[in-house]
Amino acid sequence: MLKFWKKKPAEPAATPEAPPPDERVEQAPAPLAFDSGPATAEALAETVAPEPAAPELEPEAEEAAIAAEAQAQAAQPAKRSWRERLSGSGFAKSLSSLFVRNPRLDDDLLDELETALITADVGVEASTRLVEDLRKRMHKREFADANALLKALREQLVTLLKPVEKPLDVSTHAPFVILTVGINGVGKTTTIGKLARRFSDEGRGVMLAAGDTFRAAAVEQLKTWGDRNNVPVVSQGQDADAASVIFDALQAARSRGTKVLIADTAGRLHTQGGLMDELGKIGRVMKKLDAGAPHEVLMVIDGTTGQNAISQLRQFRDTAGVTGLVVTKLDGTAKGGVMFALAREFGLPIRYVGLGETATDLRVFEAEAFVDGLLPASLGG
């Protein structure tokens, strides 16, 4: 009899032990994303690592892994300077090679410079004005050699971009709502993922709203970025009403004390009237909860589109009230001059630029660093 009663408790204990871990593992990511208490984390830790002897060996392995990761991260910034990212672009190559091919200070050099600027989509008017100003100064003998002219060109380009060098400040409201807009294929969803990573690294609570319900797999793509950055994503699936999704996300962000809400929208051509009108609807719906929302309408522009970006921005500005820009794919384009055209035409703040594929390659825009990446400080430099 005693043997029978001893074995009896062991059998029910073994049966429930298998299902709960599965349930806990499935439910764990959601509470952790919303800053769960230590009790949940403890329960998850017990489920994942049931062996008591393992922790004795873990500290050394953990220290080695952390050290290796820290070493890799520390090495990254040195490999990703602005100059190294931009020097391979067609724009940088054409300007740099121009001075190498024609180091003499004469009108031929200036003519070639004007052609290079126009080809890189700086714009005819802006290019002509830049070059004519340099030509006048050259004829007044203000430049001793081509190096002096190169220095003057760098200064002019920085002066053109400096007024739009205005970093985004998300600390002015809580939640700070960023509505992202742009045409298809500019890297909008990827930019949102990189922004989420940036704000999370700064210690800010972030939430994403999957408002691109028009494109197939867009919601899943945003969820992937959310999982990768441990950021919650509010969604309703494909073909749902985008304004409704973003409204729900704003309600959730307000109730949870989230600091930054980034809302995705469907990529659309500036000629698609129905989709463009939807942006206006999204803005009106958000204002029912927060009269100031969205606090930033961030338009993502593909740096390879050149002068087409001008007409795109004009339409989005009029429809959605664009307040800031992100210019992507600048590391491999011959059309990087569009930055100067955008600055001169609209004067809208350029918040970030994309210089590569990784999350850390989304940089806060710096005028001097950008020009330094396009032009050497001196010939042979």
Side-chain angles (χ1 to χ4, degrees), residues 81-92:
S81 70
W82 286 73
R83 175 163 293 187
E84 286 174 328
R85 282 302 189 194
L86 291 171
S87 60
S89 72
F91 186 26

Side-chain angles (χ1 to χ4, degrees), residues 177-181 294-299 316 320-325:
V177 183
I178 301 173
L179 183 68
T180 56
V181 300
H295 306 106
E296 177 82 359
V297 179
L298 203 57
M299 181 170 176
F316 274 91
V322 176
T323 56
L325 306 176

Side-chain angles (χ1 to χ4, degrees), residues 67-81 84:
E69 190 177 345
Q71 190 176 3
Q73 287 179 353
Q76 281 181 359
K79 295 178 183 177
R80 290 177 176 159
S81 70
E84 286 174 328

Side-chain angles (χ1 to χ4, degrees), residues 158-166 347 349:
V158 170
T159 301
L160 192 56
L161 292 177
K162 206 69 177 174
V164 298
E165 184 190 86
K166 296 176 183 176

Side-chain angles (χ1 to χ4, degrees), residues 191-271:
T191 297
I192 292 171
K194 291 178 180 180
L195 284 173
R197 165 70 179 275
R198 170 179 285 275
F199 296 138
S200 294
D201 288 348
E202 291 174 358
R204 306 179 194 275
V206 182
M207 183 180 289
L208 305 181
D212 184 357
T213 59
F214 185 73
R215 182 172 61 90
V219 174
E220 292 306 316
Q221 187 183 355
L222 197 68
K223 284 181 178 178
T224 300
W225 275 106
D227 292 341
R228 190 180 302 173
N229 296 315
N230 198 27
V231 167
V233 178
V234 175
S235 65
Q236 293 180 10
Q238 190 178 349
D239 297 327
D241 181 60
S244 172
V245 174
I246 295 172
F247 181 84
D248 288 349
L250 181 53
Q251 278 188 318
R254 284 160 62 92
S255 65
R256 294 185 176 115
T258 301
K259 297 299 181 186
V260 182
L261 170 64
I262 310 175
D264 192 11
T265 60
R268 62 205 74 204
L269 293 173
H270 52 292
T271 54

